[in-house]
Amino acid sequence: MHTPGAAGWLLVVLCALSGSYCLLRMRSRVDSQRQAAGGEALMGFGMAAMALPAALVPAPRAVWLAGAALFTVAGARALWESRADAHHLHHLVGAVAMVHMSVAMASADGHGTAGTSLLTTALFGYFTGYVLWAGARLIPAGAAVPVPATGRTAGRPTAPPGPAGPPDGTRTGWGDRPELTRACRLSMGVAMVAMLLTV
């Protein structure tokens, strides 16, 4: 949905950056990463286009209907791929949200109808919960330091173990960093919550 002023531009930048990182993840050596990244890149750039301020890009009704058709196909693909990876169900819900908002933008007054208010509420509740869950996953867990029975630290203090790298010792690429992937998904979830507020 179009959002006015600086808030709209912040959403555009946030979603475009998220989509760009998802494109980088498509170069991953992990098959599941590449498959998930394609749908998330489409979602990021689609949300960036939808968040553009209406005064800058007054899109005709046909554009929104085309967007609804595109994300209908994306949702069908996500449903098919969810047989192998349940995370694609999240992509399906995102595609439903994009179709919902595209249809609302294509309506005469640019707002959703009363008949879709329950869907808006359900989508808003889902993505709000997803943002809280994804945010909690980014909080690092404190590393417990074992203390001997005497209460004194035995030997020199040991630094907490760092993230494990690949077993062959090669350097992890930017597209394979799980913390960046989670941050990217969290950013798109926050943007989706903000956009659903304007439906």
Side-chain angles (χ1 to χ4, degrees):
M1 302 299 293
H2 287 310
T3 48
W9 286 113
L10 285 174
L11 282 178
V12 171
V13 172
L14 179 65
C15 295
L17 287 176
S18 298
S20 299
Y21 177 68
C22 290
L23 287 180
L24 180 63
R25 286 171 51 213
M26 292 182 70
R27 300 176 58 188
S28 169
R29 292 169 295 177
V30 183
D31 290 339
S32 59
Q33 275 273 42
R34 292 196 301 270
Q35 293 172 2
E40 291 169 359
L42 175 63
M43 184 71 63
F45 289 120
M47 291 169 64
M50 189 174 287
L52 283 172
L56 178 66
V57 183
R61 184 170 183 267
V63 171
W64 300 117
L65 293 178
L70 173 64
F71 281 99
T72 298
V73 174
R77 183 173 183 268
L79 180 60
W80 177 263
E81 292 181 346
S82 66
R83 300 176 307 157
D85 186 356
H87 178 71
H88 288 285
L89 291 175
H90 174 69
H91 296 169
L92 173 61
V93 177
V96 170
M98 294 297 288
V99 171
H100 173 53
M101 292 188 290
S102 296
V103 170
M105 290 296 290
S107 63
D109 57 358
H111 298 284
T113 62
T116 60
S117 59
L118 288 178
L119 179 56
T120 302
T121 302
L123 290 170
F124 179 80
Y126 171 82
F127 281 102
T128 300
Y130 178 81
V131 165
L132 295 175
W133 174 77
R137 293 186 69 195
L138 282 176
I139 299 175
V145 179
V147 178
T150 58
R152 299 177 58 186
T153 304
R156 299 177 59 184
T158 303
D168 58 359
T170 58
R171 188 174 181 179
T172 302
W174 286 102
D176 293 317
R177 299 178 67 99
E179 69 277 11
L180 293 181
T181 300
R182 292 170 187 162
C184 175
R185 291 170 176 169
L186 174 62
S187 298
M188 288 197 289
V190 171
M192 185 67 79
V193 169
M195 294 168 71
L196 286 168
L197 284 173
T198 67
V199 176

